[in-house]
Every structure is written in structure tokens, then in C-alpha cells.
Amino acid sequence: MNKDIATPVRTKEILKKYGFSFKKSLGQNFLIDTNILDRIVDHAEITEETGVIEIGPGIGALTEQLAKRAKKVTAFEIDQRLLPILKDTLSPYDNVTIIHQDVLKADVRKVIEEQFADCKEVMVVANLPYYVTTPIIMKLLEENLPLKGIVVMLQKEVADRMAAIPSSKEYNSLSIAVQFYTEAKTVMIVPKTVFVPQPNVDSAVIKLTVRETPAVSVENEAFFFQLIRASFGQRRKTLMNNLMNNLPDGKKHKVIIEEALASAEIDGKRRGESLSIEEFARLSNVLQKALD
């Protein structure tokens, strides 16, 4: 029986054997607690019909736990130095494929078609490097991939933003973007003590269940997100101010913006963070028509 990778002793042995040193620029923090890994896999509700995409497998601690339960695991690893280590640590599992590529540059849809044709569902499960968490999640969501859901560990404050509700201090354009495509729920908090090296902040695991259709219906998705980013331009400013200052030609379209706000029954003196996703959708549809 193989000893689990994710124990302090085994992790130290593996790192020593390969003379591996952590690269700060890649945000490498390896988990050394199998209980936490088990709970992450539990939250992902993986069965032997599931195909799993992992991002940043490290030395294979989470990969191993996924491989025990999933039909197939395909992991993207950017750091070439980890490839021989993964080949070794994951040798007992014949259902794992490692792709040496930056997931942000990868054709993930093609990988899903090639790797998971015989799987009933596809989940993304990962301990994400902090510095690229948001771009990775937005890529997975915006590309409208055939995913059932995403269960990832990330910085606690980013998880708080993704699951935030209107008028809370965490609520921002990321909250709306994530909730447009998914139902977001923080499922566990993970202390920094269970990683080597220890990060400076606590982590959280967030579960994003992909919606069959977006949370609200918008005529033009690109404009909807442009409007949201503009509305959160400067948090202390009113919605009207932010839209004038941050939308292209906003000052020129002042009257159109005022009329659209009135028509959508939204007070321009409110702040962006007080608007629900439904209000943003209503405003987006009215304003986009008026500007066309």
C-alpha cells in the first residue's frame, strides 16, 4: 500500500529526493493534510463516472486522492521540474494524464473532448496558485465549457468576493461575474498551517455549481460586463458618476445614461455595490438599446 503523498514526512522525502525548491513566482504551496484533501474531494461529489481537470498538481497530493475516486484525472502543470516527480508519485494510478502547459493558454474544450469522451460529467478540482486564481476561473466560465462545477482552494478573501452578496464590502464585479455563471458557496476554510511553505493568509474552498442558463438574461453579455466594471470603477462614487467616467464616451452620453437609469427604475445616486445582478441586467438591456 502506498503511503499518501500529502503527509509532512512523505512530502519532505519527495522534495529531498528530487532536490526540489519552491518557486515563489509560481505560487507553489503544497498541502500536507490528507483529511483536508479528502474533504475537498467529498465536496466535489466525484464518482467513477467523473472526469476531473486539475490545475497545478504540484507533487500530486490532491491528484492522488482524485485518482482514487474519479474515472480519469487530467492535470495541467506549468513547472517542468515537477514532471518527473509526478511521473514517479503517480505511477500507481493509470487513470492520470499530466499536460505540461499553462492552462490559461490551453484549449480546454479540446482537452475535455479528447480526454473525457467516456465520462458522464466533468469537474474542475484544484488547489489554485493564488496569483492566477481569478483569470483561471473566469477563463473556465467565459468559455462556456461543459463543466458540472468547479471546486477550488484559493485565498480566503477571493472566495469571500466570489460568494459575496450586494451591499457587503466584498461584493464587486468578480462576485457578479462568478454568480452570473454559477451558484457560489464557500464550503470550508483552510488554515495556512497545512501547507509547505506556509502562505501568509488563510485559504478557503469554494464550490461553483455551473448554472444551466446564466442567472439573468442579458441582450449583450460583453456590454453587461463592461457596465458592471464601470459601475465599480471607484467604490465611493455614485453609479451615475461611475458610468459617466468609466463607460466609453460616458460624459457625452450623460442624458442617455440618466434616462436609462430612470427607465430601469434605478436611482443614479446609489452606489454600484448596492445593485443586485437583476438590477444590473435590467440596466444593461435598457442602456445598451439606448446607446445603439
Side-chain angles (χ1 to χ4, degrees), residues 84-133:
I85 304 181
L86 288 162
K87 198 175 170 182
D88 175 9
T89 58
L90 298 172
S91 58
Y93 307 97
D94 58 4
N95 58 343
V96 176
T97 307
I98 305 294
I99 298 178
H100 177 221
Q101 196 180 10
D102 177 352
V103 74
L104 288 171
K105 299 187 179 124
D107 183 342
V108 181
R109 181 178 297 278
K110 192 165 163 231
V111 169
I112 290 174
E113 283 163 9
E114 288 170 357
Q115 298 281 334
F116 303 125
D118 55 350
C119 298
K120 237 196 197 147
E121 56 187 31
V122 181
M123 289 290 294
V124 173
V125 186
N127 167 21
L128 288 178
Y130 285 166
Y131 74 105
V132 285
T133 304

Side-chain angles (χ1 to χ4, degrees), residues 160-178:
D160 290 344
R161 286 205 286 274
M162 288 183 180
I165 56 170
S167 294
S168 63
K169 73 175 195 307
E170 290 80 23
Y171 186 69
N172 68 358
S173 53
L174 179 64
S175 324
I176 298 168
V178 167

Side-chain angles (χ1 to χ4, degrees), residues 118-260:
D118 55 350
C119 298
K120 237 196 197 147
E121 56 187 31
V122 181
M123 289 290 294
V124 173
V125 186
N127 167 21
L128 288 178
Y130 285 166
Y131 74 105
V132 285
T133 304
T134 303
I136 288 173
I137 287 182
M138 289 320 297
K139 174 189 165 88
L140 296 172
L141 297 178
E142 285 168 351
E143 290 184 1
N144 196 14
L145 301 166
L147 299 174
K148 182 183 171 205
I150 299 172
V151 174
V152 286
M153 170 129 58
L154 32 76
Q155 224 166 317
K156 183 180 174 297
E157 63 182 77
V158 179
D160 290 344
R161 286 205 286 274
M162 288 183 180
I165 56 170
S167 294
S168 63
K169 73 175 195 307
E170 290 80 23
Y171 186 69
N172 68 358
S173 53
L174 179 64
S175 324
I176 298 168
V178 167
Q179 292 168 36
F180 179 74
Y181 296 109
T182 72
E183 286 179 46
K185 187 178 176 207
T186 300
V187 289
M188 56 192 274
I189 305 300
V190 182
K192 53 190 172 214
T193 48
V194 298
F195 295 92
V196 292
Q198 261 193 47
N200 303 324
V201 292
D202 285 336
S203 299
V205 175
I206 195 161
K207 180 172 187 171
L208 306 174
T209 308
V210 175
R211 299 176 187 272
E212 285 189 15
T213 52
V216 287
S217 149
V218 292
E219 307 289 327
N220 179 327
E221 226 170 270
F223 182 76
F224 172 69
F225 287 118
Q226 186 182 31
L227 172 79
I228 287 163
R229 281 192 296 273
S231 305
F232 283 94
Q234 285 144 301
R235 271 192 101 93
R236 307 261 57 88
K237 292 222 157 116
T238 64
L239 185 60
M240 182 65 206
N241 247 325
N242 267 329
L243 295 179
M244 270 172 38
N245 291 325
N246 301 316
L247 280 177
D249 292 331
K251 290 193 170 67
K252 201 172 91 189
H253 296 313
K254 183 181 178 198
V255 175
I256 295 178
I257 295 171
E258 283 174 340
E259 286 170 355

